[in-house]
Amino acid sequence: GSPVQRRGLRGAFAGLALTAAKVARAKAVPEKFPEAVEVEVSLGPDGTKVQVLEASLEWQEALIEEAVERFEDNPLDADPYGMAVWPAGQVLAQAASAYGLKAREKGKPLTALELGCGCGLASLALLSLQCSVIATDFNRLPLQLLNEAARRQGFDKRLKVQQFDLCDASARLPEADLVMASDVLYERRTAEAMAQRVNEALTRQSRVLVADIGRPNRKVFLSTLKELRPEEDFTFSCSATAVHVGRATSSSVATTSETTVELLELPQHGPAEAALQAWPTTELRRPEKHGHVL
């Protein structure tokens, strides 16, 4: 980007980091993650609880500081956002759970691939339903956080984590019955690459889920996908609400936020759409003195 754009992004990062505690460097990963915080998310028709790990407030702030320092040298690698749960990840987990439950009811094993998994809530949801999961991300830290969350809940034997750049056209997708992603349409390059990956998944008969809150490059994603498969229709045809409940660090008053997330399900009108219409809203609860600054 231009110097003005870089200064703007630097200022945005720096503004968030002004009050950052001077903790150990974020890249020095604590053993067994004492800086990680367990967050509870309710999913599925009965509100089953799944525990996901997020970076603590102090760790998030340190990650922001590191991203500021690394941005000009390697802007694509200066991305701390996979260390917290986002609303699109909740709805993706809810949608994926519909496939996991269907597979369990039929007694058929399901292998899922999550692209850009971050904290990996959708992966954890499927692991809790006895599915096998390949969770991938461009960055190493979120994969370690996910692996630890799976280990604590006894899911790690069915989980494989793998660094994977979905923009690297030379790398083929790992084989899976279900390919899923959330919040991957914010950069044009990533949106175009995600369209290529969806085409790759559909060509080999995988089912696909993409959750999005309306990121700027959704149109790029859909138009690229239409160019690749002109005879097919691609629409984010259903939506659900993700609820976050937490407490501000300076107050004992609980705060609640609601975000509408839309879903692309391919083939369309499958188990996920029916589940999002019928199931209770997915709710994330953060413990006291923990929040989201990313």
Side-chain angles (χ1 to χ4, degrees):
S2 68
V4 171
Q5 289 173 321
R6 290 199 297 270
R7 284 197 298 271
L9 183 51
R10 176 181 286 273
F13 276 138
L16 287 169
L18 283 175
T19 59
K22 301 300 181 181
V23 298
R25 299 297 299 157
K27 59 189 175 186
V29 183
E31 184 179 1
K32 294 191 177 179
F33 297 98
E35 291 296 325
V37 177
E38 287 191 357
V39 175
E40 183 179 89
V41 185
S42 63
L43 296 166
D46 302 317
T48 300
K49 304 296 189 294
V50 174
Q51 304 294 328
V52 63
L53 290 178
E54 290 187 321
S56 67
L57 282 171
E58 293 81 6
W59 197 3
Q60 290 179 45
E61 289 164 345
L63 286 163
I64 292 168
E65 286 189 330
E66 184 167 305
V68 171
E69 293 175 7
R70 293 163 56 191
F71 177 73
E72 289 195 7
D73 293 332
N74 193 350
L76 291 177
D77 197 35
D79 183 359
Y81 299 113
M83 300 296 281
V85 180
W86 298 84
Q90 281 177 256
V91 172
L92 179 65
Q94 191 85 315
S97 295
Y99 283 85
L101 283 170
K102 184 176 180 181
R104 191 172 69 176
E105 289 167 1
K106 291 186 173 183
K108 299 177 67 174
L110 175 75
T111 298
L113 168 66
E114 185 171 9
L115 300 172
C117 67
C119 294
L121 176 59
S123 291
L124 291 166
L126 285 176
L127 289 167
S128 74
L129 294 170
Q130 312 303 313
C131 300
S132 297
V133 176
I134 306 163
T136 70
D137 200 280
F138 180 78
N139 290 319
R140 173 179 54 87
L141 267 179
L143 296 174
Q144 294 183 328
L145 208 61
L146 168 57
N147 208 38
E148 174 63 11
R151 185 193 67 79
R152 293 185 187 185
Q153 294 169 89
F155 302 155
D156 50 315
K157 288 183 174 59
R158 296 189 306 280
L159 171 66
K160 178 183 178 182
V161 297
Q162 178 182 334
Q163 276 189 275
F164 183 83
D165 181 2
L166 67 88
C167 295
D168 180 2
S170 68
R172 290 180 57 83
L173 285 179
E175 292 288 333
D177 305 304
L178 175 68
V179 177
M180 56 186 182
S182 63
D183 268 335
V184 292
L185 308 180
Y186 43 87
E187 296 285 349
R188 183 182 184 92
R189 174 172 175 264
T190 310
E192 290 173 340
M194 188 63 204
Q196 295 283 352
R197 296 305 189 179
V198 169
N199 179 51
E200 183 180 352
L202 292 175
T203 298
R204 67 180 191 199
Q205 305 300 310
S206 298
R207 294 180 177 271
V208 174
L209 297 172
V210 180
D212 181 62
I213 64 168
R215 297 293 183 187
N217 284 291
R218 184 195 289 188
K219 289 182 179 180
V220 172
F221 165 71
L222 291 173
S223 64
T224 304
L225 195 51
K226 191 68 174 175
E227 289 173 7
L228 293 166
R229 306 178 78 90
E231 302 303 316
E232 299 178 40
D233 179 41
F234 302 103
T235 307
F236 283 77
S237 59
C238 58
S239 65
T241 300
V243 176
H244 282 200
V245 179
R247 297 184 187 277
T249 54
S250 59
S251 169
S252 60
V253 178
T255 59
T256 301
S257 64
E258 298 185 358
T259 305
T260 299
V261 180
E262 294 176 302
L263 184 77
L264 173 68
E265 180 179 18
L266 301 171
Q268 294 192 65
H269 311 304
E273 181 173 328
L276 294 187
Q277 292 173 351
W279 291 356
T281 300
T282 171
E283 185 174 283
L284 176 149
R285 287 186 170 271
R286 291 192 169 93
E288 290 188 38
K289 299 182 180 179
H290 175 59
H292 197 319
V293 299
L294 289 169

